[in-house]
Amino acid sequence: DQQVKQNSPSLSVQEGRISILNCDYTNSMFDYFLWYKKYPAEGPTFLISISSIKDKNEDGRFTVFLNKSAKHLSLHIVPSQPGDSAVYFCAASPGNQFYFGTGTSLTVIP
Amino acid sequence: DTGVSQDPRHKITKRGQNVTFRCDPISEHNRLYWYRQTLGQGPEFLTYFQNEAQLEKSRLLSDRFSAERPKGSFSTLEIQRTEQGDSAMYLCASSLLTGADEQYFGPGTRLTVT
């Protein structure tokens, strides 16, 4: 059962514009959420996280929003840069175990 | 220490053979995780250690899979009697000992079972 879902397998955005990646989850016990970026032939790299007690966390160009009532989180990248082109995974945890979505491949067009 | 390392990076084996992978975490990290990732999927949790204790195992981890972390440092993942369905990327990650913390991933070991 897929407890974390990323329904958009791919996304293309013009350089300088906003990229919005979405993630939905089903388990109300999840209390910690993370976004990872993955380049080919490398392991995922941590980007940003958010605790369930917050609804927004910002780090430079990256902002994560959490809507607990909708069980939805999103990652905003502003402005998007060509180097942001990668696969983005969201992950959620109820404590010790992490559940990952299937990923969204972001392409930023110069 | 620059990050999590995994060895080998690639492994090709014949069905029925045993394989063993090694993971060296970031030195001060107490927690170590193993994941499996297949094409088009996100990493799937297999097991995790806190120091040398294996605290949780996924039901995905059949009896043919075993993991160890002697002395709470490096870890090994062994797959016995490999099957073609075991072909995947095996990822290791480590994190500090906190309730919830970002994990740092290694580059993975790609296993191909022929």
Side-chain angles (χ1 to χ4, degrees):
Chain A
D1 58 337
Q2 192 73 27
Q3 299 191 51
V4 178
K5 298 177 183 178
Q6 293 176 258
N7 293 318
S8 298
S10 63
L11 175 68
S12 291
V13 172
Q14 284 292 135
E15 181 179 3
R17 306 294 289 268
I18 184 171
S19 295
I20 301 176
L21 295 95
N22 294 302
C23 179
D24 297 292
Y25 62 96
T26 58
N27 190 337
S28 58
M29 299 299 292
F30 290 152
D31 59 5
Y32 189 62
F33 304 88
L34 310 91
W35 284 94
Y36 284 84
K37 178 169 72 173
K38 186 181 184 305
Y39 293 118
E42 295 182 11
T45 302
F46 171 75
L47 262 181
I48 191 169
S49 63
I50 187 167
S51 164
S52 60
I53 63 174
K54 295 185 176 181
D55 54 18
K56 177 183 174 181
N57 189 25
E58 191 171 352
D59 184 2
R61 296 186 298 114
F62 301 91
T63 303
V64 56
F65 295 91
L66 176 62
N67 182 334
K68 290 187 293 293
S69 61
K71 293 190 175 67
H72 177 84
L73 68 155
S74 62
L75 174 68
H76 292 208
I77 306 173
V78 181
S80 301
Q81 300 173 353
D84 296 330
S85 297
V87 177
Y88 289 78
F89 292 98
C90 67
S93 174
N96 292 325
Q97 187 174 142
F98 288 79
Y99 296 83
F100 284 77
T102 53
T104 296
S105 179
L106 173 66
T107 301
V108 179
I109 303 164
Chain B
D1 189 316
T2 57
V4 179
S5 62
Q6 292 186 245
D7 183 70
R9 294 291 305 274
H10 303 274
K11 178 70 177 178
I12 299 173
T13 191
K14 292 186 177 180
R15 187 177 52 179
Q17 297 294 305
N18 299 343
V19 293
T20 300
F21 309 141
R22 177 181 170 123
C23 170
D24 287 272
I26 294 172
S27 57
E28 63 268 28
H29 285 185
N30 299 100
R31 290 192 172 182
L32 186 148
Y33 300 78
W34 283 100
Y35 291 88
R36 179 173 64 190
Q37 185 177 18
T38 53
L39 195 63
Q41 300 296 315
E44 291 178 293
F45 171 81
L46 291 178
T47 188
Y48 99 92
F49 293 84
Q50 184 168 301
N51 299 313
E52 66 275 9
Q54 188 174 19
L55 296 188
E56 198 162 336
K57 291 198 298 185
S58 165
R59 62 180 184 273
L60 294 174
L61 211 65
S62 77
D63 292 343
R64 297 184 297 105
F65 288 70
S66 62
E68 294 182 344
R69 193 184 182 196
K71 303 178 183 177
S73 55
F74 72 92
S75 175
T76 59
L77 177 68
E78 181 183 17
I79 309 174
Q80 296 181 327
R81 306 181 303 281
T82 52
E83 302 172 356
Q84 287 188 321
D86 296 331
S87 296
M89 176 73 82
Y90 290 84
L91 293 163
C92 173
S94 68
S95 69
L96 289 168
L97 180 58
T98 59
D101 200 355
E102 58 263 27
Q103 300 172 8
Y104 294 82
F105 282 84
T109 294
R110 179 164 296 284
L111 172 66
T112 302
V113 181
T114 61

